[in-house]
Amino acid sequence: TQSLFAQSIKNGVVLGARIYGYIKKDGKLTIDPKTAPMVKEIFEKYSTGEWSTSTIEKYLYKKGYRNYKGGKLSRDNIKKIIKNPKYKGYYCGGKSRRYVH
């Protein structure tokens, strides 16, 4: 039998929890006009090399952006956004490899 991940890739469905900047419905992602600007700002600020995740965290909170629970978007969440390939415009399904020695 195919794994859940393999089946989702075949069907073009995205697995996982909520993704800032997107609305997930029936396994498909569409841009969320409410949170997408926040994600854009994270990348713009971080890419300058002059903003740390800590300063971005404070900036976003002052600007009124909140996490899904209504609190501060943490540095860890910001790091996850920066590292997540979905934000770079592609979905990496089945990213694990086996190494043969």
Side-chain angles (χ1 to χ4, degrees), residues 2-16 27-28 86 90-96:
Q2 276 189 322
S3 74
L4 181 60
F5 290 108
Q7 190 64 38
S8 69
I9 293 165
K10 182 178 173 185
N11 294 333
V13 173
V14 176
L15 296 178
K28 305 287 183 184
K86 291 178 188 81
Y90 60 94
Y91 173 57
C92 293
K95 9 180 207 187
S96 63

Side-chain angles (χ1 to χ4, degrees), residues 68-82:
Y68 290 121
K69 295 180 180 180
K72 197 180 279 188
L73 192 72
S74 72
R75 286 173 277 189
D76 286 339
N77 281 0
I78 293 167
K79 287 176 190 175
K80 287 176 186 174
I81 288 170
I82 292 166

Side-chain angles (χ1 to χ4, degrees), residues 38-81:
M38 175 188 73
V39 173
K40 183 178 179 185
E41 284 202 70
I42 289 170
F43 278 97
E44 285 174 349
K45 303 269 184 246
Y46 191 77
S47 68
T48 67
E50 297 174 13
W51 289 72
S52 68
T53 54
S54 177
T55 55
I56 293 170
E57 173 189 52
K58 293 170 190 164
Y59 169 81
L60 293 175
Y61 191 76
K62 284 182 185 176
K63 198 155 182 193
Y65 289 115
R66 301 293 183 263
N67 65 20
Y68 290 121
K69 295 180 180 180
K72 197 180 279 188
L73 192 72
S74 72
R75 286 173 277 189
D76 286 339
N77 281 0
I78 293 167
K79 287 176 190 175
K80 287 176 186 174
I81 288 170

